[in-house]
Coordinates of all heavy atoms in Angstrom, one line a residue:
M1 N 67.7 -75.6 21.7 CA 68.1 -74.5 20.8 C 68.9 -73.5 21.5 O 68.7 -73.2 22.7 CB 66.8 -73.8 20.3 CG 67.1 -72.7 19.4 SD 65.6 -71.8 18.9 CE 64.9 -71.4 20.6
N2 N 70.0 -73.1 20.8 CA 70.9 -72.1 21.4 C 70.5 -70.7 20.9 O 70.7 -70.4 19.7 CB 72.3 -72.5 20.9 CG 73.4 -71.6 21.6 OD1 73.2 -70.4 21.6 ND2 74.4 -72.3 22.0
R3 N 70.0 -70.0 21.8 CA 69.6 -68.6 21.5 C 70.7 -67.7 20.9 O 70.5 -67.0 19.9 CB 69.0 -67.9 22.8 CG 68.5 -66.6 22.5 CD 68.1 -65.9 23.9 NE 67.2 -66.8 24.6 CZ 66.6 -66.5 25.6 NH1 66.8 -65.2 26.2 NH2 65.7 -67.3 26.4
K4 N 71.9 -67.9 21.5 CA 73.0 -67.1 20.9 C 73.3 -67.4 19.5 O 73.5 -66.6 18.7 CB 74.3 -67.3 21.8 CG 75.4 -66.6 21.4 CD 76.6 -66.8 22.3 CE 77.9 -66.2 21.8 NZ 79.0 -67.1 21.5
N5 N 73.3 -68.7 19.1 CA 73.5 -69.1 17.8 C 72.4 -68.6 16.8 O 72.7 -68.3 15.6 CB 73.7 -70.7 17.7 CG 75.0 -71.2 18.3 OD1 75.8 -70.4 18.5 ND2 75.0 -72.5 18.5
L6 N 71.2 -68.7 17.4 CA 70.0 -68.1 16.5 C 70.2 -66.7 16.2 O 70.2 -66.3 15.0 CB 68.7 -68.4 17.3 CG 67.5 -67.8 16.6 CD1 67.2 -68.7 15.3 CD2 66.3 -67.9 17.6
Y7 N 70.6 -65.9 17.1 CA 70.8 -64.5 16.9 C 71.9 -64.2 16.1 O 72.0 -63.4 15.2 CB 70.9 -63.8 18.2 CG 69.6 -63.6 19.0 CD1 69.7 -63.6 20.4 CD2 68.4 -63.6 18.4 CE1 68.5 -63.5 21.2 CE2 67.2 -63.4 19.1 CZ 67.3 -63.4 20.4 OH 66.1 -63.3 21.2
E8 N 73.1 -64.9 16.2 CA 74.3 -64.8 15.4 C 74.0 -65.2 13.9 O 74.4 -64.4 13.0 CB 75.4 -65.6 16.0 CG 76.0 -65.0 17.2 CD 77.1 -65.8 17.8 OE1 77.4 -66.9 17.3 OE2 77.6 -65.5 18.9
N9 N 73.3 -66.2 13.7 CA 72.9 -66.7 12.4 C 72.1 -65.6 11.7 O 72.2 -65.3 10.6 CB 72.2 -68.0 12.4 CG 73.3 -69.1 12.7 OD1 74.4 -69.0 12.6 ND2 72.7 -70.3 13.1
L10 N 71.0 -65.1 12.5 CA 70.2 -64.1 11.9 C 71.0 -62.9 11.5 O 70.8 -62.3 10.4 CB 69.1 -63.7 12.9 CG 68.1 -62.7 12.5 CD1 67.4 -63.0 11.2 CD2 67.2 -62.3 13.6
E11 N 71.8 -62.4 12.3 CA 72.8 -61.2 11.9 C 73.6 -61.4 10.7 O 73.7 -60.6 9.9 CB 73.6 -60.7 13.2 CG 72.7 -60.2 14.3 CD 71.7 -59.1 13.9 OE1 72.2 -58.2 13.1 OE2 70.6 -59.3 14.3
Q12 N 74.0 -62.7 10.6 CA 74.9 -63.0 9.4 C 74.0 -62.9 8.2 O 74.4 -62.3 7.1 CB 75.5 -64.4 9.5 CG 76.6 -64.4 10.5 CD 77.8 -63.5 10.1 OE1 78.3 -63.5 9.0 NE2 78.3 -62.8 11.2
V13 N 72.8 -63.5 8.2 CA 71.9 -63.3 7.0 C 71.5 -62.0 6.7 O 71.5 -61.5 5.6 CB 70.6 -64.3 7.4 CG1 69.5 -64.0 6.2 CG2 71.0 -65.7 7.4
K14 N 71.3 -61.2 7.7 CA 70.8 -59.7 7.5 C 72.0 -58.9 6.9 O 71.7 -57.9 6.2 CB 70.4 -59.1 8.8 CG 69.0 -59.6 9.2 CD 68.6 -58.8 10.5 CE 67.1 -59.0 10.7 NZ 66.5 -58.1 11.6
K15 N 73.2 -59.4 7.0 CA 74.4 -58.6 6.3 C 74.1 -58.7 4.7 O 74.5 -57.7 4.0 CB 75.6 -59.3 6.6 CG 76.2 -59.0 8.0 CD 77.5 -59.6 8.3 CE 77.9 -59.3 9.6 NZ 79.2 -60.0 10.0
Y16 N 73.5 -59.7 4.2 CA 73.4 -59.9 2.8 C 72.0 -59.7 2.3 O 71.7 -59.5 1.1 CB 73.9 -61.3 2.4 CG 75.3 -61.5 2.8 CD1 75.6 -62.3 3.9 CD2 76.3 -61.1 2.0 CE1 76.9 -62.4 4.4 CE2 77.7 -61.2 2.4 CZ 77.9 -61.9 3.6 OH 79.3 -62.1 3.9
C17 N 71.1 -59.9 3.2 CA 69.6 -59.8 2.9 C 68.8 -59.1 4.0 O 68.6 -59.7 5.1 CB 69.0 -61.2 2.7 SG 67.3 -61.1 2.1
P18 N 68.7 -57.9 3.9 CA 68.0 -57.0 5.1 C 66.5 -57.5 5.3 O 66.1 -57.2 6.4 CB 68.1 -55.5 4.5 CG 68.1 -55.6 3.0 CD 68.8 -56.9 2.7
N19 N 65.8 -58.0 4.4 CA 64.5 -58.4 4.6 C 64.5 -60.0 4.8 O 64.8 -60.7 3.9 CB 63.6 -58.0 3.5 CG 63.4 -56.6 3.2 OD1 63.4 -55.8 4.2 ND2 63.5 -56.1 2.1
V20 N 64.2 -60.3 6.0 CA 64.3 -61.7 6.4 C 62.9 -62.2 6.9 O 62.3 -61.7 7.6 CB 65.4 -61.9 7.4 CG1 65.5 -63.3 7.9 CG2 66.7 -61.4 6.9
F21 N 62.6 -63.5 6.5 CA 61.5 -64.2 7.2 C 62.0 -65.5 7.8 O 62.9 -66.1 7.3 CB 60.3 -64.4 6.2 CG 60.4 -65.6 5.3 CD1 59.8 -66.7 5.6 CD2 61.1 -65.5 4.1 CE1 59.8 -67.9 4.9 CE2 61.2 -66.6 3.3 CZ 60.4 -67.7 3.6
A22 N 61.4 -65.8 8.9 CA 61.8 -67.0 9.6 C 60.8 -68.1 9.3 O 59.6 -68.0 9.6 CB 61.9 -66.7 11.1
M23 N 61.2 -69.2 8.7 CA 60.4 -70.3 8.4 C 60.3 -71.1 9.8 O 61.2 -71.7 10.2 CB 60.9 -71.2 7.4 CG 60.1 -72.4 6.9 SD 58.4 -71.9 6.4 CE 58.7 -71.3 4.8
V24 N 59.0 -71.2 10.2 CA 58.8 -71.8 11.6 C 57.8 -72.9 11.4 O 57.2 -73.3 12.4 CB 58.3 -70.7 12.6 CG1 59.5 -69.8 13.0 CG2 57.0 -70.0 12.3
K25 N 57.6 -73.5 10.3 CA 56.7 -74.6 10.1 C 57.1 -75.7 10.9 O 58.3 -75.9 11.3 CB 56.5 -75.0 8.6 CG 57.9 -75.6 8.0 CD 57.7 -75.8 6.5 CE 58.6 -76.7 6.0 NZ 58.3 -78.1 6.1
A26 N 56.2 -76.8 11.0 CA 56.5 -77.9 11.8 C 57.0 -77.7 13.2 O 58.0 -78.3 13.6 CB 57.4 -78.9 11.0
N27 N 56.3 -76.8 13.9 CA 56.7 -76.5 15.3 C 58.1 -75.9 15.3 O 58.9 -76.2 16.2 CB 56.5 -77.6 16.3 CG 56.5 -77.2 17.7 OD1 56.0 -76.1 18.0 ND2 56.9 -78.1 18.6
A28 N 58.4 -75.0 14.4 CA 59.8 -74.4 14.3 C 60.8 -75.6 14.2 O 61.8 -75.6 14.9 CB 60.0 -73.5 15.4
Y29 N 60.5 -76.5 13.4 CA 61.4 -77.7 13.2 C 61.7 -78.4 14.4 O 62.8 -78.9 14.7 CB 62.6 -77.3 12.4 CG 62.3 -76.9 11.0 CD1 62.1 -75.5 10.8 CD2 62.1 -77.8 9.9 CE1 61.8 -75.0 9.5 CE2 61.8 -77.3 8.7 CZ 61.7 -75.9 8.4 OH 61.4 -75.5 7.1
G30 N 60.7 -78.5 15.4 CA 60.9 -79.2 16.6 C 61.4 -78.4 17.8 O 61.5 -78.9 18.9
H31 N 61.7 -77.1 17.5 CA 62.2 -76.2 18.5 C 61.2 -75.5 19.4 O 61.4 -74.9 20.3 CB 63.2 -75.2 18.0 CG 64.4 -75.8 17.5 ND1 65.4 -76.3 18.2 CD2 64.8 -76.0 16.2 CE1 66.4 -76.8 17.4 NE2 66.0 -76.6 16.2
G32 N 59.9 -75.7 19.0 CA 58.8 -75.0 19.6 C 58.4 -73.7 19.0 O 59.2 -72.6 19.1
V33 N 57.4 -73.6 18.2 CA 57.0 -72.4 17.5 C 56.9 -71.2 18.4 O 57.2 -70.1 18.1 CB 55.7 -72.6 16.7 CG1 54.5 -72.8 17.4 CG2 55.7 -71.5 15.6
K34 N 56.2 -71.3 19.5 CA 56.0 -70.1 20.3 C 57.2 -69.6 20.9 O 57.5 -68.4 20.9 CB 55.1 -70.6 21.6 CG 54.7 -69.4 22.5 CD 53.7 -69.9 23.4 CE 53.1 -68.6 24.3 NZ 52.1 -69.1 25.2
N35 N 58.2 -70.5 21.4 CA 59.5 -70.0 21.8 C 60.3 -69.3 20.8 O 60.8 -68.3 21.0 CB 60.3 -71.1 22.4 CG 59.6 -71.8 23.6 OD1 59.0 -71.1 24.3 ND2 59.9 -73.1 23.8
V36 N 60.4 -69.9 19.5 CA 61.1 -69.4 18.4 C 60.5 -68.0 18.0 O 61.2 -67.0 17.9 CB 61.3 -70.3 17.3 CG1 61.9 -69.7 16.1 CG2 62.1 -71.5 17.7
C37 N 59.3 -68.0 17.8 CA 58.6 -66.7 17.3 C 58.8 -65.6 18.4 O 59.0 -64.4 17.9 CB 57.0 -66.9 17.1 SG 56.7 -67.9 15.7
K38 N 58.8 -65.9 19.7 CA 58.9 -64.9 20.7 C 60.3 -64.4 20.7 O 60.6 -63.2 20.9 CB 58.6 -65.4 22.1 CG 57.1 -65.5 22.2 CD 56.6 -65.8 23.6 CE 55.1 -65.7 23.8 NZ 54.7 -65.8 25.2
L39 N 61.4 -65.3 20.4 CA 62.7 -64.8 20.3 C 63.1 -64.0 19.1 O 63.8 -63.1 19.2 CB 63.6 -66.1 20.3 CG 63.7 -66.9 21.6 CD1 64.6 -68.2 21.3 CD2 64.5 -66.0 22.6
L40 N 62.3 -64.2 18.1 CA 62.5 -63.5 16.8 C 61.6 -62.4 16.5 O 61.7 -61.7 15.6 CB 62.4 -64.5 15.6 CG 63.6 -65.6 15.5 CD1 63.3 -66.5 14.4 CD2 64.9 -64.9 15.5
Y41 N 60.7 -62.2 17.5 CA 59.6 -61.1 17.3 C 60.4 -59.8 17.2 O 61.2 -59.3 18.0 CB 58.6 -61.1 18.5 CG 57.6 -59.9 18.5 CD1 56.5 -60.2 17.8 CD2 57.8 -58.8 19.1 CE1 55.5 -59.2 17.6 CE2 56.9 -57.8 19.0 CZ 55.7 -58.0 18.2 OH 54.8 -57.0 18.2
G42 N 60.0 -59.0 16.1 CA 60.6 -57.7 15.9 C 61.9 -57.7 15.1 O 62.5 -56.8 14.8
K43 N 62.5 -59.0 15.0 CA 63.8 -59.1 14.4 C 63.8 -59.6 13.0 O 64.7 -59.6 12.3 CB 64.6 -60.1 15.2 CG 65.1 -59.5 16.6 CD 65.8 -60.5 17.4 CE 66.2 -60.0 18.8 NZ 65.3 -59.2 19.6
V44 N 62.6 -60.1 12.6 CA 62.4 -60.6 11.2 C 61.2 -59.9 10.6 O 60.3 -59.4 11.4 CB 62.2 -62.2 11.2 CG1 63.5 -62.9 11.7 CG2 61.0 -62.6 12.0
D45 N 61.0 -59.9 9.3 CA 59.9 -59.2 8.7 C 58.6 -60.0 8.8 O 57.5 -59.4 8.8 CB 60.3 -59.0 7.2 CG 61.5 -58.0 7.2 OD1 61.2 -56.8 7.6 OD2 62.6 -58.4 6.9
F46 N 58.7 -61.3 8.7 CA 57.5 -62.1 8.9 C 57.9 -63.5 9.2 O 59.1 -64.0 9.0 CB 56.6 -62.1 7.6 CG 57.2 -62.4 6.4 CD1 57.1 -63.6 5.8 CD2 57.8 -61.4 5.6 CE1 57.6 -63.9 4.5 CE2 58.3 -61.6 4.4 CZ 58.3 -62.9 3.8
F47 N 56.9 -64.4 9.5 CA 57.1 -65.9 9.8 C 56.5 -66.6 8.7 O 55.4 -66.2 8.1 CB 56.6 -66.2 11.1 CG 57.1 -65.6 12.3 CD1 56.5 -64.6 13.0 CD2 58.4 -65.9 12.7 CE1 57.0 -63.9 14.1 CE2 59.0 -65.4 13.8 CZ 58.4 -64.3 14.5
G48 N 57.1 -67.6 8.3 CA 56.6 -68.6 7.3 C 56.2 -69.8 7.9 O 56.8 -70.4 8.8
V49 N 55.0 -70.4 7.4 CA 54.5 -71.5 7.8 C 54.0 -72.4 6.7 O 53.8 -71.8 5.6 CB 53.3 -71.3 8.9 CG1 53.8 -70.6 10.1 CG2 52.1 -70.4 8.2
A50 N 53.6 -73.6 6.9 CA 53.2 -74.5 5.8 C 51.7 -74.4 5.5 O 51.3 -74.7 4.4 CB 53.6 -75.9 6.2
C51 N 50.9 -74.1 6.5 CA 49.5 -74.2 6.3 C 48.7 -73.2 7.3 O 49.4 -72.6 8.2 CB 49.0 -75.5 6.7 SG 49.3 -76.2 8.4
L52 N 47.5 -73.1 7.0 CA 46.6 -72.1 7.8 C 46.7 -72.5 9.3 O 46.7 -71.5 10.1 CB 45.2 -72.1 7.2 CG 44.2 -71.2 7.9 CD1 44.7 -69.7 8.0 CD2 42.8 -71.3 7.4
E53 N 46.6 -73.7 9.6 CA 46.6 -74.2 11.0 C 47.8 -73.7 11.7 O 47.7 -73.2 13.0 CB 46.4 -75.7 11.1 CG 45.1 -76.3 10.7 CD 44.8 -76.3 9.2 OE1 45.9 -76.2 8.4 OE2 43.7 -76.3 8.8
E54 N 48.9 -73.7 11.1 CA 50.1 -73.2 11.8 C 50.1 -71.7 12.0 O 50.6 -71.2 13.0 CB 51.4 -73.7 10.9 CG 51.7 -75.2 11.1 CD 52.9 -75.6 10.1 OE1 53.3 -74.7 9.2 OE2 53.4 -76.6 10.5
A55 N 49.6 -71.0 11.0 CA 49.4 -69.6 11.2 C 48.4 -69.2 12.2 O 48.8 -68.3 13.0 CB 48.8 -69.0 9.8
L56 N 47.4 -69.9 12.4 CA 46.4 -69.7 13.5 C 47.0 -70.0 14.8 O 46.7 -69.3 15.8 CB 45.1 -70.5 13.3 CG 44.3 -70.1 12.1 CD1 43.2 -71.1 11.8 CD2 43.8 -68.8 12.2
E57 N 47.9 -70.9 14.9 CA 48.6 -71.2 16.2 C 49.5 -70.0 16.6 O 49.5 -69.6 17.7 CB 49.5 -72.5 16.0 CG 50.2 -72.9 17.2 CD 49.4 -73.3 18.4 OE1 48.3 -73.8 18.1 OE2 49.8 -73.1 19.5
I58 N 50.2 -69.4 15.6 CA 51.0 -68.2 15.9 C 50.1 -67.1 16.3 O 50.4 -66.3 17.3 CB 51.9 -67.8 14.8 CG1 52.9 -68.9 14.5 CG2 52.5 -66.5 14.9 CD1 53.7 -68.7 13.2
R59 N 49.0 -66.9 15.7 CA 48.0 -65.8 16.0 C 47.5 -65.9 17.4 O 47.2 -64.9 18.0 CB 46.9 -65.8 15.0 CG 47.0 -65.1 13.8 CD 47.1 -63.5 14.1 NE 47.7 -62.9 12.9 CZ 48.9 -62.4 12.7 NH1 49.8 -62.5 13.7 NH2 49.2 -61.9 11.6
K60 N 47.6 -67.0 18.0 CA 47.0 -67.2 19.4 C 47.8 -66.3 20.4 O 47.5 -65.9 21.4 CB 47.1 -68.6 19.9 CG 46.0 -69.6 19.2 CD 46.1 -70.9 19.7 CE 45.2 -71.9 19.0 NZ 45.3 -73.3 19.4
F61 N 49.2 -66.2 20.0 CA 50.1 -65.6 21.0 C 50.7 -64.4 20.3 O 51.4 -63.5 21.0 CB 51.2 -66.4 21.5 CG 52.0 -67.1 20.5 CD1 53.1 -66.5 20.0 CD2 51.7 -68.4 20.0 CE1 54.0 -67.1 19.1 CE2 52.6 -69.0 19.1 CZ 53.6 -68.4 18.6
D62 N 50.6 -64.1 19.0 CA 51.2 -63.1 18.4 C 50.2 -62.4 17.4 O 50.0 -63.0 16.4 CB 52.4 -63.5 17.7 CG 53.2 -62.3 16.9 OD1 52.6 -61.2 16.7 OD2 54.2 -62.5 16.4
K63 N 49.6 -61.2 17.8 CA 48.6 -60.7 17.0 C 49.2 -59.7 15.9 O 48.4 -59.2 15.1 CB 47.6 -59.9 17.9 CG 47.0 -60.6 19.0 CD 46.0 -61.7 18.4 CE 45.4 -62.4 19.5 NZ 45.0 -63.8 19.3
R64 N 50.4 -59.4 15.9 CA 50.9 -58.3 15.1 C 51.8 -58.8 14.0 O 51.9 -58.1 12.9 CB 51.7 -57.4 16.0 CG 50.7 -56.7 17.2 CD 51.4 -55.7 17.9 NE 51.5 -54.5 17.0 CZ 52.2 -53.4 17.3 NH1 52.8 -53.4 18.4 NH2 52.2 -52.4 16.4
S65 N 52.5 -59.8 14.1 CA 53.6 -60.2 13.1 C 52.8 -60.6 11.9 O 51.9 -61.1 11.8 CB 54.4 -61.4 13.6 OG 55.3 -61.0 14.7
N66 N 53.6 -60.4 10.7 CA 53.0 -60.9 9.4 C 53.4 -62.4 9.3 O 54.5 -62.8 9.7 CB 53.8 -60.1 8.3 CG 53.4 -58.6 8.3 OD1 52.3 -58.3 8.5 ND2 54.4 -57.7 8.1
I67 N 52.5 -63.1 8.7 CA 52.7 -64.5 8.5 C 52.5 -64.9 7.0 O 51.5 -64.5 6.5 CB 51.7 -65.3 9.4 CG1 52.0 -65.0 10.8 CG2 51.9 -66.8 9.2 CD1 50.8 -65.5 11.8
L68 N 53.4 -65.6 6.4 CA 53.3 -66.1 5.1 C 52.9 -67.6 5.1 O 53.7 -68.4 5.7 CB 54.6 -65.8 4.2 CG 54.6 -66.5 2.9 CD1 53.7 -65.8 1.9 CD2 56.1 -66.4 2.4
I69 N 51.9 -68.0 4.5 CA 51.5 -69.4 4.3 C 52.0 -69.8 2.9 O 51.7 -69.4 2.0 CB 50.0 -69.6 4.4 CG1 49.4 -69.1 5.8 CG2 49.6 -71.1 4.3 CD1 47.9 -69.0 5.8
V70 N 53.0 -70.8 3.0 CA 53.6 -71.2 1.8 C 53.0 -72.5 1.2 O 53.3 -72.8 0.0 CB 55.1 -71.5 1.9 CG1 55.8 -70.2 2.4 CG2 55.4 -72.6 2.9
G71 N 52.0 -73.0 1.9 CA 51.3 -74.2 1.3 C 50.0 -73.8 0.8 O 49.6 -72.6 0.7
I72 N 49.2 -74.8 0.5 CA 47.8 -74.6 0.1 C 47.0 -74.1 1.3 O 47.0 -74.6 2.3 CB 47.2 -75.9 -0.5 CG1 48.0 -76.3 -1.7 CG2 45.7 -75.7 -0.9 CD1 47.7 -77.6 -2.2
C73 N 46.2 -73.0 1.1 CA 45.3 -72.5 2.0 C 43.9 -72.7 1.7 O 43.4 -72.3 0.6 CB 45.6 -71.0 2.2 SG 44.6 -70.2 3.5
K74 N 43.3 -73.6 2.4 CA 41.9 -74.2 2.1 C 40.8 -73.2 2.5 O 39.7 -73.3 2.0 CB 41.8 -75.5 2.7 CG 42.6 -76.6 2.1 CD 42.4 -77.9 2.7 CE 43.4 -78.8 2.2 NZ 43.3 -80.1 2.7
D75 N 41.1 -72.2 3.4 CA 40.0 -71.2 3.7 C 40.6 -69.8 3.7 O 41.0 -69.3 4.7 CB 39.6 -71.6 5.1 CG 38.3 -70.8 5.5 OD1 38.0 -69.7 4.9 OD2 37.6 -71.2 6.5
I76 N 40.6 -69.2 2.5 CA 41.3 -67.9 2.4 C 40.5 -66.9 3.3 O 41.2 -66.0 3.8 CB 41.3 -67.5 0.9 CG1 42.1 -66.2 0.7 CG2 39.9 -67.3 0.4 CD1 43.5 -66.5 1.0
F77 N 39.3 -67.0 3.4 CA 38.6 -66.0 4.2 C 39.0 -66.1 5.8 O 39.1 -65.1 6.3 CB 37.0 -66.1 4.1 CG 36.6 -65.9 2.7 CD1 36.2 -67.0 1.9 CD2 36.6 -64.6 2.1 CE1 35.9 -66.8 0.6 CE2 36.2 -64.4 0.8 CZ 35.8 -65.5 0.1
L78 N 39.1 -67.3 6.3 CA 39.7 -67.4 7.6 C 41.1 -66.9 7.7 O 41.5 -66.3 8.7 CB 39.6 -68.9 8.1 CG 40.1 -69.2 9.5 CD1 39.3 -68.4 10.6 CD2 40.0 -70.6 9.7
A79 N 41.9 -67.1 6.6 CA 43.3 -66.6 6.7 C 43.4 -65.1 6.6 O 44.2 -64.5 7.3 CB 44.1 -67.1 5.3
I80 N 42.5 -64.5 6.0 CA 42.4 -63.0 6.0 C 42.0 -62.4 7.3 O 42.6 -61.6 7.9 CB 41.5 -62.5 4.9 CG1 42.1 -62.8 3.5 CG2 41.3 -60.9 4.9 CD1 41.1 -62.6 2.3

């Protein structure tokens, strides 16, 4: 993954849409969810994942970012 390209692409998107979320499902599409989330921490409004398990993986290293689960959440109480 090219960090420079990631930041440039994010800045281009923010020109048209100030509120941005980063979809990092499937291990950030193979780029490593932890690495990508750390690079984008504070630069996006929230992270998007497919399931609760992916959200919990992010919570292990990031206690503050908002996370949107776009798939079916089988344990809403755990998600909260």
Side-chain angles (χ1 to χ4, degrees):
M1 176 185 53
N2 186 313
R3 180 184 308 187
K4 181 179 176 235
N5 287 350
L6 178 67
Y7 290 146
E8 286 176 0
N9 289 342
L10 178 59
E11 290 309 312
Q12 289 299 315
V13 170
K14 283 187 167 190
K15 287 180 182 178
Y16 302 98
C17 183
N19 299 318
V20 176
F21 81 96
M23 183 57 77
V24 293
K25 68 184 196 84
N27 196 30
Y29 296 93
H31 293 286
V33 70
K34 188 173 185 177
N35 294 333
V36 172
C37 287
K38 285 186 173 192
L39 288 172
L40 295 177
Y41 180 81
K43 294 175 175 41
V44 296
D45 296 288
F46 55 95
F47 295 108
V49 295
C51 60
L52 178 59
E53 290 77 18
E54 291 177 339
L56 293 173
E57 181 65 28
I58 293 171
R59 274 291 170 254
K60 289 179 184 176
F61 60 84
D62 181 348
K63 305 292 187 209
R64 300 186 74 190
S65 293
N66 295 317
I67 302 171
L68 173 68
I69 300 170
V70 297
I72 295 171
C73 184
K74 295 181 181 180
D75 189 343
I76 190 67
F77 297 108
L78 182 57
I80 293 169

